[in-house]
Amino acid sequence: MINVYELSRVFYDPQRGQINAVNRLSFTAEKGQILGLLGPNGAGKTTTLRILATLLDPTSGHATLNGFDVVKEPEKVRASLGFLSSTTGLYPRLTPEETLRFFGQINGMEKMQLKQRIDELITEFGITEYARVRCEKLSSGMKQKVSIARALVQYPPVLVFDEPTVGLDVIAAAQTMKTILEYKKRGKCIIYSTHIMSEVEKLCDRIAIIHKGSLQALGSMEDLRKQTGKRYLEDIFFSLMETDHDSVQNDMLM
């Protein structure tokens, strides 16, 4: 569903010069699986996700999502993608119902199909009581439910979650992860990017660890354990931060 090959993105800073935010990155993500994207701040995760979402063009390399090229077919890519990040905002004066209708309309959904989908999502996420309350008056947990529903409104085959539990309490975070697992069961291809390693261990079938724009390792938890000799993801992560990424990439890339 997602194929990233030799993807690079270079920025130029007047003081620091050339910055390789993403450096020849390659990975795949499959239908019915969750790929965890893990790395420290500045690793290139968000830049990679913005390229996949057609918000940035790559400097070199290419990527396809649901069979569509992110540069050549951006509209088809966007129609195939539900994207949620911690910085994704809601229009404060719109209600959850109005928010879902707006995003369904801009994704070209037909009126009756959209009405049915809105009803499904409001019920599925327990938003019924708040469906006509302005988003600015909702709790952080309820806002997150609306944000996730917004990303799902056109029922896209590919979902990207970038730090989806930031700022949530334990219960709201658990509900968010439960929802993500449910959509995995429905056959969605999911990328899950976070700094919370316990969430990655619980949710992800495969994990891509990125540092300084380059792929350090890619595989299941068992693959990473065999590679590093470490059991826990946190220990695996810090071990790879100290390892020459070229040798690890050659061993682990699948």
Side-chain angles (χ1 to χ4, degrees):
M1 297 293 285
I2 297 176
N3 193 329
V4 173
Y5 181 72
E6 294 284 318
L7 198 68
S8 295
R9 173 69 192 203
V10 176
F11 294 99
Y12 294 92
D13 183 89
Q15 295 181 334
R16 295 184 293 168
Q18 179 174 302
I19 301 171
N20 296 315
V22 180
N23 186 23
R24 299 179 65 186
L25 187 63
S26 298
F27 64 84
T28 61
E30 305 296 335
K31 180 179 179 180
Q33 292 186 350
I34 301 176
L35 174 70
L37 201 59
L38 192 61
N41 288 335
K45 304 186 305 298
T46 298
T47 300
T48 299
L49 296 181
R50 286 176 176 171
I51 291 172
L52 291 178
T54 74
L55 300 175
L56 288 173
D57 285 339
T59 303
S60 62
H62 68 266
T64 59
L65 188 149
N66 197 29
F68 303 116
D69 188 282
V70 298
V71 174
K72 298 177 182 178
E73 302 167 289
E75 292 183 0
K76 292 180 179 179
V77 169
R78 289 193 289 269
S80 301
L81 176 65
F83 190 98
L84 173 72
S85 78
S86 59
T87 58
T88 300
L90 296 171
Y91 296 105
R93 295 181 66 81
L94 292 184
T95 67
E97 187 177 71
E98 291 168 339
T99 298
L100 296 179
R101 184 178 300 112
F102 172 74
F103 281 95
Q105 288 172 341
I106 65 175
N107 278 287
M109 297 181 71
E110 295 180 359
K111 185 175 181 180
M112 292 305 297
Q113 178 194 29
L114 177 56
K115 183 181 184 305
Q116 180 180 354
R117 183 61 177 152
I118 290 172
D119 291 342
E120 289 174 354
L121 289 169
I122 286 175
T123 300
E124 179 179 345
F125 285 90
I127 303 173
T128 304
E129 184 179 349
Y130 304 94
R132 297 184 178 179
V133 176
R134 287 181 177 178
C135 288
E136 63 187 354
K137 297 183 179 181
L138 300 178
S139 67
S140 59
M142 187 58 63
K143 287 178 180 177
Q144 188 71 341
K145 287 184 178 183
V146 177
S147 294
I148 295 173
R150 178 200 63 77
L152 298 170
V153 68
Q154 81 270 31
Y155 205 70
V158 180
L159 301 170
V160 171
F161 296 96
D162 185 13
E163 300 286 357
T165 62
V166 167
L168 298 184
D169 61 33
V170 174
I171 294 175
Q175 290 173 337
T176 297
M177 290 191 289
K178 183 179 179 180
T179 298
I180 291 169
L181 283 173
E182 175 59 32
Y183 275 82
K184 170 194 167 180
K185 292 178 183 177
R186 297 183 191 183
K188 303 302 179 183
C189 173
I190 300 172
I191 292 182
Y192 192 89
S193 176
T194 183
H195 289 100
I196 305 174
M197 297 188 193
S198 61
E199 293 181 359
V200 174
E201 288 195 70
K202 289 178 182 178
L203 293 177
C204 299
D205 301 286
R206 297 165 70 233
I207 302 165
I209 298 178
I210 300 174
H211 183 45
K212 296 181 180 179
S214 297
L215 185 68
Q216 300 281 326
L218 173 62
S220 66
M221 275 297 297
E222 190 59 32
D223 293 329
L224 299 180
R225 285 169 178 154
K226 289 178 180 178
Q227 174 65 32
T228 63
K230 308 292 184 181
R231 177 167 182 78
Y232 299 106
L233 184 56
E234 182 175 339
D235 295 330
I236 290 169
F237 178 81
F238 286 114
S239 173
L240 291 170
M241 293 302 98
E242 298 170 357
T243 305
D244 177 70
H245 68 77
D246 290 331
S247 61
V248 175
Q249 181 172 339
N250 290 335
D251 289 339
M252 293 297 300
L253 186 58
M254 298 178 179

